[in-house]
């Protein structure tokens, strides 16, 4: 759906109310058209940022870590210098060390390796769908989208079943760091100051660290095939073992990065299908093309609104002087609606090809779990769509209060199954 136009003087990408209402798209359109490198003041003490909204600019920035570094952190928050090493994950590491850390698990996320999990995924998707369809009325997020990605991750990490709901809760709290319903301690709040040594300034990060360490101790020097065993027993190719905090933050990132995002992608996709019945019909008739449809689901959903970089030198962009040290925010969601790149970008076209969306980023930090997320989505929709005779939304959809994740909290639906 085409968004309501917004005038440039009303654009404010730091206003979380707008994101909670799902109305950021009009702001992105205005910025791409009128001010593609737009200075934005922050209201929680942040130093402000340049909002970059055009596809080509975002791609250029993401692919140029020498000019736009990740090492000064990649969310809007600016962690104090003294805590940066403690909090640094692969996301906030550049250069050869980044590559070495990435390669530690990269091949485990390759399509060939992931194919080993196909039977497991099909079984899990069938169980998720059949359990949900026992009732007609449900919250789609709770019943279908939320637990499925985390159950997959639990399998990859080889954690016991009773931990799964804990993992979901941790993911919610961390990613919902700016939403009072999710976060025990709201980012930017007085109370969060005492947790600034932890990722997202959240006490939950410590719980995740502790759990990761327990697993690591159990699996050190073992021959486990799970991701934790690989993290503790493999040596990065630069020969430098993972330091304790590097392990902690890697483990935390795996839990956080893969769950909310995939959940959101699934929920948004279903919402898009309800809003576009012709596309739902197309998918019913072309289940064999679900893999192609997933790319459009990902573009349309844009589960991650942005990631941040920091300029390492002065650079000019669309007539604006970006200074060394300035925060530069790549609005991937906006790039995914760039009319210079995608024809009719607000239309859901499941057979869109090519579909070079930027939902997983574009540079050296491109999502490591992209193949997994695609695989999970394909199998879920291949399982779910043939079981739906009719589906409608029965109540208000509510969103996560965040300009980082494009998240759906509640999505009431009625599904008549067949
Ligand atoms: C639809 C689901 C997902 C979306 C939309 C998503 C999106 C992203 C984005 C935008 C980035 C940063 C890219 C950049 O800065 O250029 C990223 C990085 C990352 N993602 Fe995902 N992600 C998803 C699922 C997953 C899954 C399932 C996992 C693993 C279990 C995962 C693990 C990671 C990791 C480890 C990184 C850091 C990579 C690096 O710094 O080199 N993600 N993801």
């Amino acid at each position: 759906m085409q968004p309501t136009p917004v005038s440039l003087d009303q654009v404010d990408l730091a206003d979380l109310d707008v994101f909670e209402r799902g109305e950021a798209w009009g702001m992105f359109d205005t910025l791409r058209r009128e001010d593609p490198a737009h200075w934005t003041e922050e209201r929680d003490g942040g130093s402000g940022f340049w909002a970059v909204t055009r596809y080509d600019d975002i791609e250029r920035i993401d692919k140029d870590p020498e000019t736009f570094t990740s090492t000064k952190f990649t969310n809007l928050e600016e962690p104090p210098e003294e805590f940066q090493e403690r909090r640094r994950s692969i996301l906030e590491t550049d250069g050869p060390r980044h590559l070495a850390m990435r390669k530690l698990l990269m091949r485990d996320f390759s399509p060939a390796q992931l194919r080993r999990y196909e039977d497991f995924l099909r079984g899990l998707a069938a169980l998720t769908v059949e359990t949900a369809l026992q009732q007609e009325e449900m919250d789609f997020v709770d019943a279908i989208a939320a637990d499925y990605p985390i159950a997959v991750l639990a399998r990859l990490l080889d954690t016991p079943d009773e931990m799964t709901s804990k993992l979901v809760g941790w993911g919610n709290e961390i990613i919902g760091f700016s939403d009072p319903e999710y976060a025990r301690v709201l980012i930017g709040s007085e109370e969060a100051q005492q947790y600034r040594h932890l990722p997202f300034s959240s006490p939950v990060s410590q719980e995740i660290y502790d759990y990761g360490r327990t697993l690591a101790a159990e699996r050190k020097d073992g021959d486990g095939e799970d991701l934790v065993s690989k993290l503790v027993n493999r040596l990065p190719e630069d020969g430098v073992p993972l330091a304790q905090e590097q392990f902690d933050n890697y483990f935390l990132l795996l839990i956080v990065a893969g769950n909310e995002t995939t959940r959101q992608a699934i929920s948004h996709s279903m919402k898009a299908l309800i809003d576009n019945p012709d596309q739902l019909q197309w998918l019913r008739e072309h289940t064999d093309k679900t893999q192609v449809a997933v790319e459009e689901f990902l573009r349309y959903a844009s589960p991650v609104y942005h990631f941040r970089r920091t300029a390492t030198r002065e650079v000019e962009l669309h007539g604006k002087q970006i200074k060394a040290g300035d925060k530069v925010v790549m609005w991937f969601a906006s790039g995914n609606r760039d009319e210079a790149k995608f024809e009719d970008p607000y239309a859901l076209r499941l057979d869109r090809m090519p579909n070079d969306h930027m939902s997983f980023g574009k540079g050296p930090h491109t999502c490591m779990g992209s193949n997994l997320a695609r695989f999970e989505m394909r199998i879920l929709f291949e399982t779910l769509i043939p079981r739906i005779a009719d589906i409608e939304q029965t109540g208000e959809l509510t969103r996560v209060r965040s300009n980082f994740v494009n998240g759906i909290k509640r999505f009431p639906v009625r599904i008549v199954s067949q």
Side-chain angles (χ1 to χ4, degrees):
M1 204 171 58
Q2 205 73 29
T4 319
V6 179
S7 63
L8 187 57
D9 59 352
Q10 283 182 323
V11 167
D12 183 359
L13 293 177
D15 181 355
L16 300 188
D17 289 340
V18 180
F19 286 85
E20 196 170 14
R21 294 198 301 271
E23 291 171 1
W25 303 102
M27 300 197 299
F28 293 142
D29 289 357
T30 305
L31 290 179
R32 277 197 312 278
R33 207 173 40 239
E34 297 177 31
D35 194 13
H38 177 74
W39 180 254
T40 306
E41 296 289 346
E42 291 178 90
R43 32 192 84 181
D44 57 0
S47 59
F49 58 84
W50 294 102
V52 180
T53 42
R54 286 189 187 165
Y55 185 102
D56 288 347
D57 295 331
I58 296 170
E59 182 172 28
R60 210 188 90 207
I61 290 170
D62 209 7
K63 286 187 168 161
D64 182 3
E66 284 185 6
T67 313
F68 299 100
T69 180
S70 292
T71 59
K72 303 291 178 196
F73 283 70
T74 56
N75 288 106
L76 288 176
E77 190 201 355
E78 296 152 45
E81 198 79 41
E82 68 265 34
F83 300 138
Q84 291 190 1
E85 287 321 302
R86 181 72 201 86
R87 289 180 52 164
R88 189 177 303 287
S89 76
I90 179 174
L91 265 176
E92 296 95 12
T93 306
D94 280 342
R97 183 61 177 163
H98 169 248
L99 196 60
M101 287 176 73
R102 209 175 143 92
K103 282 190 175 167
L104 257 189
L105 293 187
M106 206 49 210
R107 67 187 122 122
D108 300 285
F109 287 107
S110 70
Q113 284 298 315
L114 292 172
R115 236 168 270 135
R116 294 187 298 157
Y117 296 103
E118 176 151 358
D119 289 346
F120 166 76
L121 273 175
R122 290 209 182 273
L124 182 67
L127 181 70
T128 307
V129 168
E130 294 316 320
T131 310
L133 293 184
Q134 282 172 12
Q135 332 154 27
E136 280 198 355
E137 304 248 350
M138 69 190 82
D139 176 54
F140 187 85
V141 181
D142 272 353
I144 296 188
D147 293 4
Y148 171 71
I150 198 86
V152 176
L153 200 85
R155 169 70 203 270
L156 266 63
L157 293 169
D158 194 19
T159 54
D161 288 349
E162 59 272 21
M163 274 310 288
T164 306
S165 61
K166 191 95 188 147
L167 298 181
V168 174
W170 281 342
N172 278 347
E173 275 210 49
I174 292 258
I175 294 283
F177 56 77
S178 56
D179 188 315
E181 190 181 331
Y182 283 151
R184 232 179 287 173
V185 176
L186 267 186
I187 202 148
S189 68
E190 196 71 6
E191 205 190 342
Q193 296 307 316
Q194 60 182 303
Y195 300 112
R196 294 203 79 184
H197 60 294
L198 295 170
F200 303 97
S201 292
S202 168
V204 179
S205 299
Q206 188 62 51
E207 289 178 39
I208 301 178
Y209 284 172
D210 292 344
Y211 184 56
R213 287 182 189 196
T214 306
L215 294 178
E218 285 166 14
R219 296 173 189 184
K220 179 93 188 124
D221 300 327
D223 56 4
E225 284 291 299
D226 61 280
L227 296 181
V228 177
S229 295
K230 288 172 176 165
L231 271 186
V232 284
N233 295 321
R234 277 183 187 158
L235 185 66
E237 66 170 20
D238 60 2
V240 182
L242 286 188
Q244 182 64 56
E245 60 267 22
Q246 287 174 331
F247 169 82
D248 291 343
N249 291 317
Y250 216 137
F251 180 73
L252 183 137
L253 186 61
L254 288 177
I255 292 195
V256 174
N259 295 308
E260 276 281 333
T261 44
T262 313
R263 170 202 308 189
Q264 303 312 344
I266 293 169
S267 301
H268 279 292
S269 305
M270 197 67 247
K271 167 74 177 145
L273 288 175
I274 294 178
D275 293 346
N276 295 273
D278 61 313
Q279 294 298 295
L280 175 57
Q281 190 51 32
W282 184 88
L283 193 55
R284 280 200 180 100
E285 289 163 10
H286 300 88
T287 344
D288 57 322
K289 299 220 168 67
T290 310
Q291 194 158 359
V292 176
V294 161
E295 297 308 314
E296 177 70 344
F297 282 149
L298 285 161
R299 182 191 74 85
Y300 204 79
S302 299
V304 178
Y305 278 121
H306 73 255
F307 264 100
R308 188 255 285 192
R309 300 291 184 258
T310 302
T312 56
R313 59 177 174 84
E314 189 167 309
V315 48
E316 193 191 308
L317 187 63
H318 299 293
K320 307 286 175 71
Q321 294 302 320
I322 299 178
K323 296 193 299 299
D326 282 357
K327 294 198 287 187
V328 179
V329 177
M330 308 174 289
W331 293 91
F332 296 130
S334 173
N336 279 340
R337 294 289 184 278
D338 191 336
E339 34 294 279
K341 181 75 184 179
F342 301 101
E343 192 188 283
D344 203 0
Y346 285 95
L348 179 78
R349 290 190 191 159
L350 295 184
D351 59 352
R352 194 185 283 275
M353 266 200 294
N355 195 344
D356 194 12
H357 63 78
M358 39 178 44
S359 292
F360 293 122
K362 278 282 160 210
H365 289 274
T366 298
C367 179
M368 278 176 64
S370 59
N371 294 319
L372 178 60
R374 289 178 160 119
F375 197 29
E376 288 180 34
M377 290 175 69
R378 175 165 70 81
I379 289 180
L380 183 73
F381 283 101
E382 283 173 1
T383 310
L384 177 61
I385 297 301
R387 295 285 284 115
I388 299 179
D390 194 19
I391 178 164
E392 61 172 332
Q393 187 176 336
T394 52
E396 196 197 346
L397 177 145
T398 58
R399 293 183 185 76
V400 180
R401 185 176 164 73
S402 170
N403 60 5
F404 174 45
V405 285
N406 179 12
I408 297 181
K409 281 205 259 197
R410 274 176 286 275
F411 178 23
V413 296
R414 180 183 301 114
I415 302 183
V416 179
S417 56
Q418 58 186 12

